[in-house]
Amino acid sequence: MKIKSFIFVFIIYLFTVFSISNAQEESRTTFWEVQSIDTMKYSRDLAREKLNVRSFDAVIDQQIKAIAGTGATHVAVGTPYDAEFLPMLRRWVAAARKYNLNVWFRGNWSGWEGWFDYPIISRANHIALTEKFILNNENLFEDGDIFTACPECENGGPGDPRHNGDVSGHRQFLINEYNKVQAAFEKIDKDVKASYFSMNGDVARLVMNKSTTENLGGAVTIDHYVRTVEKLVSDIKNFAKISGGEVVLGEFGAPIPDIHGRLSKAGQAAWIESALEELVKIEELKGINYWTNIGGSTQLWNEKGMPAPAVEVIKSFYKPLLISGFVKDRLDRPIAGAIVKNNYRSATTRSNGYFELPYLKNDSLLQLNVSAEGYLDEVLNVATQNQQVEITLVKQGGNFVYYLLSFIKMIFSFRH
């Protein structure tokens, strides 16, 4: 019986060792869940002018291809939702799908702010139109998209709650619309975020208390431009504190001349790089939309598609360097569900023990903190030139079989 038990245990060990696959599953590890670049100057402002210009498709393709090349997960499209502009919206969406990008829909009904001479619409009309739009255009959306029904809503309809005194009405409108939009996407069985109601930072301070944030999906989205990186960081942390939620930068960019001064292209790149180096450290920040790709002082490309130096800066953060590896036990068995943390992010190991974590190009040494239920925690310093590491955790306690297998492994290791 002892011999049979030993043979059984030995077979288990051999099966465990040789069945572990180190194949890396296809993944996309990023600093932020949402990494977007905005196209408003073309996708909204030229929506009517270029509506029947077929050659404009080449412009759309060029812009979307360039945005995809930065490592963006999303492209923000500002085309209005009105029936007149639906063919234009479809052209932008088709290009995004071609380059494997999700779409952040940041349009609106033209009547909300009076775009293109449309008559002003009410809150009730806005909600009804939005629900119908989603239900009638389900093939426009894909899982992972974001739909902002009313970006910077304070700029239209009944007006800005800072000035009209209707804070409670504004809050309730956003909540009612969020609920309708969420329900509509559930009806068409699409996993689309409906919670990113972008707004001016001062409006967010007034409107987005903890109750409102919770009722809007737990995120506060700000279109925010400030002079210094320090101010930007402190504002984001403050928004997270007062709202009790995550923070998304619905618009972020530089330079705005009245705020940042007139920066050179090199100065623009330096400001953006210094900002992103600090933003990656903010745990509450879940997404960024750079405003804008082409057009205006913050543009990343000129009208001929030539990139500014800031494009490479954006790319270095949207496509970060990665440290990866496997977490296993002393029997070389993969540990699934282990938590691996570095200075910026945490990752959970997959079924084969594999993990990936992003880091910055200036990091030569990373501290990894590793934990898993039933195992002793491990802290180790890893040189980033070692692109892949193996981490072994020691089991807490353990039974006879475990120690016997450990002993067998030790013998095999010694002999080889």
Side-chain angles (χ1 to χ4, degrees), residues 341-358:
K341 297 180 180 180
N342 67 4
N343 301 3
Y344 310 104
R345 297 292 182 268
S346 65
T348 302
T349 57
R350 303 170 187 168
S351 58
N352 64 351
Y354 182 73
F355 72 90
E356 287 181 347
L357 285 170

Side-chain angles (χ1 to χ4, degrees), residues 169-380:
H170 191 83
R171 284 173 174 159
Q172 194 58 54
F173 166 58
L174 296 180
I175 293 169
N176 290 345
E177 183 145 66
Y178 169 73
N179 290 334
K180 281 290 186 182
V181 169
Q182 181 111 320
F185 281 119
E186 289 174 1
K187 284 182 181 178
I188 65 172
D189 195 28
K190 294 292 175 71
D191 183 15
V192 176
K193 285 186 182 294
S195 56
Y196 292 171
F197 283 91
S198 58
M199 60 189 71
N200 176 281
D202 290 333
V203 174
R205 289 188 183 93
L206 178 66
V207 171
M208 298 301 286
N209 57 17
K210 291 183 179 181
S211 174
T212 304
T213 304
E214 183 178 357
N215 284 305
L216 289 176
V220 54
T221 305
I222 51 171
D223 295 354
H224 204 51
Y225 303 92
V226 292
R227 187 174 66 85
T228 67
V229 173
E230 293 76 16
K231 173 66 172 170
L232 181 61
V233 170
S234 65
D235 281 354
I236 291 171
K237 291 181 177 179
N238 188 49
F239 284 124
K241 183 178 179 180
I242 63 176
S243 70
E246 301 172 345
V247 178
V248 175
L249 282 175
E251 289 183 15
F252 155 81
I256 304 293
D258 291 345
I259 297 173
H260 307 100
R262 296 190 176 277
L263 300 179
S264 66
K265 292 300 181 184
Q268 177 195 33
W271 195 97
I272 293 170
E273 183 170 29
S274 63
L276 293 177
E277 283 177 348
E278 295 304 315
L279 294 181
V280 296
K281 302 172 186 176
I282 305 176
E283 186 177 355
E284 299 88 349
L285 183 64
K286 298 302 179 182
I288 290 179
N289 178 44
Y290 185 88
W291 195 89
T292 183
N293 71 325
I294 300 177
S297 59
T298 65
Q299 70 178 10
L300 295 173
W301 293 270
N302 65 20
E303 287 72 14
K304 295 182 179 180
M306 296 299 295
V311 171
E312 284 302 312
V313 172
I314 296 285
K315 186 176 179 179
S316 70
F317 285 87
Y318 278 13
K319 280 186 175 180
L321 298 170
L322 300 177
I323 187 81
S324 64
F326 295 87
V327 179
K328 60 181 183 175
D329 67 10
R330 292 172 66 181
L331 303 178
D332 283 337
R333 298 179 302 190
I335 300 175
I339 306 298
V340 186
K341 297 180 180 180
N342 67 4
N343 301 3
Y344 310 104
R345 297 292 182 268
S346 65
T348 302
T349 57
R350 303 170 187 168
S351 58
N352 64 351
Y354 182 73
F355 72 90
E356 287 181 347
L357 285 170
Y359 67 94
L360 298 180
K361 63 182 180 180
N362 295 328
D363 294 325
S364 59
L365 192 69
L366 291 175
Q367 184 180 87
L368 300 182
N369 295 269
V370 191
S371 61
E373 186 176 356
Y375 294 86
L376 299 176
D377 293 351
E378 182 75 21
V379 179
L380 61 157

Side-chain angles (χ1 to χ4, degrees), residues 81 109 124-138 141 147 149 176-177 179-185 187-188:
Y81 305 139
W109 298 100
N125 284 341
H126 195 287
I127 293 174
L129 287 168
T130 303
E131 180 185 31
K132 185 177 179 181
F133 175 77
I134 294 167
L135 296 177
N136 289 347
N137 295 283
E138 62 178 286
F141 306 102
F147 183 82
N176 290 345
E177 183 145 66
N179 290 334
K180 281 290 186 182
V181 169
Q182 181 111 320
F185 281 119
K187 284 182 181 178
I188 65 172

